[in-house]
Amino acid sequence: MPLLSILDLSVVTTAAPPSAALRNSIDLARHADQLGYERYWLAEHHNLASVASPSPDLMIGQIAAVTNSIRIGSGGIMLPNHAPLVVAERFKMLEALFPGRIDLGLGRAPGTDPATSHALRQRLQGRDGDDFLERLHELTLWETREFPSGHPFNKVVAMPNDAPLPPIWLLGSSDYSSQLSAQLGMGFAFAHHFASYDAVEALTHYRRQFRPSRWRARPHAILAIAVVAADTDEDAERLASSMDLNRLRRDRGQYEPLPSPEEALAYPYAPAGRASIARNRERLFVGSPATVRAKIDPLVAASEADEVMVISAIFDHEARKRSYSLLAESFALKGAAPP
């Protein structure tokens, strides 16, 4: 049975403003720790009314301090927005404070719109275009200390220098990150919850082409999926209506707080909107635990995923916690009640 983890966006709802969403993330992480989830990752997004946290590293420290055994990480740090030295220092510091419990997940996208991306990067020197590989290489060099002879960075040390970088994971929704993760020998997490690329192809390619490295001896593939679980299929469908409307609005460029099921069910959908929701439902697993497992298990088997990472954007915080409790029972996690 694969490991089970959580990806959290600190979702803002029409009833929970950003500050409450951040506190809900901390509460949910405590809940996940008690249930026996493997890890809890936090995303980086900017200038989105639907996402409260732009700083995973700050949230990681807060959550690690109030949990006991669950791994806490970034899902991910959007490397184009940050100087690699800053990333190295912050995550070495987190590793020093919470040894063996921190993950460093990295993404290529800015996690925002072009104007906000420019505001984030305008003080960073770098070449135009996609410089992710350049930044990733520099980040690893702060750990390996293999800068060329005479390079000015040879005199710079990422502190604390007695703490290693946490395990590095590359995030992706296409074949590019799959191939890169395999070539560099790093962990790989595939974003099935919004990807148009085939998850099975991405994850199996990663496993087949993986090259052992100083970063990881064996491949480890994470399948990130969107799930809404409830005690009955009917209850789950009602909860999922919030995600349906939210996704439809996102497709139209409207990044609004997550609506309530009542608002979503009363929304006057046009035929094109209903068709769009139906297409998105191919990436959303909704139902009772038995129904959800019947949908998830074939994908996990085909993709050979080592781990399932669940994102659940549910309007009511207690219903969201219940969804994760039901999944924990279904996957027989050590802290969950017997099914």
Side-chain angles (χ1 to χ4, degrees):
M1 187 174 294
L3 300 171
L4 193 62
S5 297
I6 293 175
L7 172 62
D8 182 20
L9 299 185
S10 299
V11 175
V12 179
T13 76
T14 54
S19 56
L22 295 175
R23 291 191 291 271
N24 284 344
S25 288
I26 294 173
D27 182 62
L28 179 60
R30 287 197 189 100
H31 185 59
D33 189 33
Q34 295 168 357
L35 291 172
Y37 277 81
E38 178 70 13
R39 66 188 89 237
Y40 193 99
W41 281 5
L42 299 118
E44 174 186 343
H45 290 283
H46 302 270
N47 192 33
L48 293 182
S50 56
V51 179
S53 174
S55 303
D57 49 347
L58 292 181
M59 288 297 292
I60 289 169
Q62 293 293 316
I63 289 174
V66 298
T67 53
N68 296 313
S69 58
I70 192 170
R71 296 189 67 92
I72 314 296
S74 55
I77 291 292
M78 300 294 103
L79 196 52
N81 300 336
H82 308 279
L85 175 58
V86 172
V87 176
E89 288 178 331
R90 290 178 179 177
F91 276 81
K92 286 165 72 70
M93 187 173 178
L94 287 167
E95 182 66 25
L97 292 171
F98 308 101
R101 292 186 55 209
I102 305 299
D103 292 322
L104 174 52
L106 300 171
R108 292 173 58 214
T112 189
D113 60 273
T116 308
S117 177
H118 178 74
L120 287 165
R121 299 186 63 181
Q122 65 174 333
R123 302 300 181 188
L124 297 177
Q125 293 182 351
R127 63 179 178 83
D128 293 334
D130 186 350
D131 60 354
F132 176 78
L133 277 177
E134 182 181 325
R135 289 171 181 269
L136 177 61
H137 186 218
E138 182 184 325
L139 175 63
T140 61
L141 288 175
W142 289 115
E143 180 69 9
T144 64
R145 306 301 308 165
E146 294 174 350
F147 289 106
S149 176
H151 195 287
F153 289 176
N154 277 321
K155 298 180 180 180
V156 181
V157 177
M159 295 295 289
N161 63 350
D162 63 335
L165 274 180
I168 298 176
W169 302 78
L170 300 187
L171 318 182
S173 57
S174 68
D175 59 339
Y176 177 86
S177 293
S178 169
Q179 295 172 2
L180 184 61
S181 302
Q183 291 170 5
L184 298 181
M186 294 178 175
F188 176 53
F190 183 78
H192 174 272
H193 56 291
F194 66 80
S196 57
Y197 193 80
D198 182 59
V200 173
E201 184 171 346
L203 293 183
T204 54
H205 175 89
Y206 163 72
R207 187 174 301 282
R208 303 291 183 269
Q209 301 299 319
F210 182 85
R211 300 175 184 175
S213 71
R214 67 173 291 152
W215 309 108
R216 181 172 292 277
R218 294 179 299 277
H220 190 106
I222 296 177
L223 175 66
I225 59 175
V227 177
V228 176
D231 291 281
T232 66
D233 289 348
E234 182 181 13
D235 288 343
E237 287 290 338
R238 177 180 174 277
L239 295 174
S241 65
S242 294
M243 291 186 70
D244 290 338
L245 179 54
N246 188 249
R247 181 66 193 201
L248 180 63
R249 287 172 169 169
R250 286 173 64 96
D251 290 343
R252 296 171 176 173
Q254 302 168 0
Y255 294 87
E256 301 178 17
L258 187 72
S260 68
E262 290 76 17
E263 179 183 350
L265 292 171
Y267 187 84
Y269 296 98
R274 293 191 181 280
S276 178
I277 288 172
R279 288 192 298 272
N280 184 60
R281 277 299 188 98
E282 297 176 2
R283 296 192 295 258
L284 178 58
F285 301 86
V286 179
S288 67
T291 298
V292 167
R293 283 298 300 271
K295 297 176 181 178
I296 294 175
D297 289 350
L299 180 59
V300 171
S303 66
E304 303 178 42
D306 299 292
E307 187 170 339
V308 174
M309 181 169 280
V310 176
I311 175 172
S312 296
I314 296 175
F315 181 81
D316 180 74
H317 182 57
E318 292 304 318
R320 187 181 183 208
K321 291 170 66 175
R322 177 63 177 165
S323 180
Y324 283 116
S325 294
L326 292 171
L327 286 175
E329 295 171 10
S330 179
F331 279 78
L333 299 191
K334 64 178 183 293

